Amino acid sequence: MPASSESSRVSKKLRVYIPATVPMLRELVADREIRAINDTAFAVTPALREAYASGDDDELAEVAMAEAARASLRLLAEESAAADLGGEDAGDETDAAPKGPIFRRAVIAADVDGATLRPDLDDAVVRLSAAVPYERIASIHVDLAEAESEVAKAVEVIDAADMGDADAEFVLGDAEDHQLAWYAAQELPFLLELL
């Protein structure tokens, strides 16, 4: 970690976008807090403002949320790989249980203190210093059912897209064309009942 990263701690409250999956949302409801994977989230940072000099705050927030949604695809890829490994040894009694991830990207918007800017990782990346309590959640953003097939395809090619494969980027674009639906934090338990 660069020595300068400690000096880049944000002293004021910051809106962050935490990549998530449906199981992570279930944990948020059960535990009343969420810890971002590797404490990584996305936000409108000075580096992001510099990279998009013409964008206003709302447009930059959309960019940060899009970065979090793409990171959600990576989390779904990990869930999918874990389900594939676990499914090889599954017996008959698990046949009724759902297998694999629910292919919906999820992003949690929250207001936090103590985030550290990490422009060395990417323009919008921040590191969180602690778990985020439920009362700090501003909103939840989740794909609708019609996005699932494109999201599932994007999960298959996310690594290739990261390596610059143009065809994989096209598949990701199909998934990213779907807008995430907005839910208030208090709506999350009801949403999860429907999934």
Side-chain angles (χ1 to χ4, degrees):
M1 178 185 290
S4 63
S5 67
E6 282 306 310
S7 63
S8 61
R9 185 171 295 274
V10 178
S11 58
K12 62 180 180 157
K13 192 168 288 189
L14 181 68
R15 170 68 50 95
V16 298
Y17 301 95
I18 303 168
T21 62
V22 171
M24 291 173 69
L25 296 178
R26 292 189 197 287
E27 288 177 23
L28 169 60
V29 170
D31 299 343
R32 306 302 292 174
E33 67 177 18
I34 187 161
R35 184 102 196 202
I37 302 296
N38 296 326
D39 291 328
T40 300
F42 299 83
V44 177
T45 65
L48 187 65
R49 286 183 196 284
E50 189 175 310
Y52 290 85
S54 64
D56 65 17
D57 283 352
D58 289 339
E59 291 169 325
L60 293 175
E62 287 294 323
V63 171
M65 185 179 296
E67 290 293 324
R70 186 168 278 208
S72 176
L73 283 174
R74 292 182 186 93
L75 297 177
L76 283 167
E78 289 177 20
E79 279 186 7
S80 183
D84 288 346
L85 290 175
E88 293 173 2
D89 299 325
D92 290 340
E93 55 194 297
T94 61
D95 286 345
K99 294 179 181 171
I102 296 173
F103 289 105
R104 295 196 195 193
R105 297 167 298 159
V107 175
I108 301 163
D111 297 312
V112 303
D113 298 308
T116 301
L117 303 176
R118 291 303 308 268
D120 55 312
L121 298 176
D122 205 308
D123 291 339
V125 174
V126 296
R127 280 283 156 81
L128 306 180
S129 59
V132 178
Y134 203 98
E135 57 270 14
R136 291 291 187 97
I137 305 299
S139 56
I140 312 291
H141 307 263
V142 182
D143 274 315
L144 297 173
E146 56 263 21
E148 285 189 43
S149 63
E150 282 86 3
V151 170
K153 291 173 190 170
V155 164
E156 294 292 321
V157 300
I158 186 70
D159 290 337
D162 285 344
M163 298 302 290
D165 183 293
D167 292 335
E169 274 292 337
F170 183 78
V171 173
L172 252 61
D174 287 343
E176 291 173 342
D177 283 343
H178 290 275
Q179 292 291 315
L180 299 177
W182 181 95
Y183 299 92
Q186 61 269 27
E187 294 178 292
L188 181 57
F190 307 105
L191 169 65
L192 294 173
E193 285 178 15
L194 300 173
L195 297 178

